[in-house]
Amino acid sequence: MLAGSREKYTSSRSIKYLNRKTNADFEGYSVNIAAELAYNFYYRDKLRLRPFVGVDYGYVHIDDFIEKGADVADLSVFNNSYKKAGPVFGFQINNGINTKFKWQVELKIDLLLCGR
């Protein structure tokens, strides 16, 4: 799976003791890549057990956050990035029948290894 997004943020806050209001507009984006490997086991053609393992990687970037409107009380934060990677494993159970009322249960464990 490959997914991505581009975000646009708008922020405002009121500073009561200064009687000021600040505003900021900033952008960011994210990318996620995931892959899983699974094997289907069938029990009496009525139940499907599907153990799986995989990896997940994500990257998020946020542009500079710079407020305007409160002079010395304006906040400024430099752009930043965040990476995450980790293994995924678990299993699915379903009725093994492709019908309109197909059911499925999934137990998934996703470990998070992160860094900058």
Side-chain angles (χ1 to χ4, degrees):
M1 175 189 76
L2 175 63
S5 66
R6 181 126 183 108
E7 298 88 21
K8 182 171 173 77
Y9 304 96
T10 301
S11 171
S12 65
R13 73 182 169 107
S14 296
I15 306 171
K16 301 272 186 204
Y17 69 91
L18 291 178
N19 198 24
R20 297 279 179 111
K21 185 173 182 176
T22 66
N23 296 299
D25 294 321
F26 59 104
E27 296 181 356
Y29 65 91
S30 64
V31 177
N32 191 26
I33 300 170
E36 290 181 359
L37 180 63
Y39 188 81
N40 292 324
F41 293 97
Y42 291 93
Y43 179 74
R44 297 187 183 180
D45 295 329
K46 299 202 189 268
L47 190 65
R48 184 182 76 168
L49 305 171
R50 183 180 177 265
F52 61 88
V53 296
V55 293
D56 186 34
Y57 173 79
Y59 178 80
V60 176
H61 177 80
I62 301 292
D63 290 339
D64 293 338
F65 173 87
I66 301 170
E67 285 184 325
K68 294 184 175 124
D71 299 324
V72 297
D74 287 338
L75 296 176
S76 293
V77 179
F78 293 117
N79 67 41
N80 204 347
S81 298
Y82 171 78
K83 298 173 191 168
K84 73 173 189 82
V88 177
F89 57 92
F91 68 92
Q92 294 175 335
I93 301 172
N94 75 15
N95 64 348
I97 302 169
N98 292 322
T99 66
K100 185 176 179 180
F101 300 108
K102 183 176 180 179
W103 56 268
Q104 179 171 304
V105 176
E106 178 175 298
L107 171 64
K108 185 175 191 177
I109 298 172
D110 192 348
L111 301 175
L112 177 63
L113 309 171
C114 59
R116 294 180 76 175

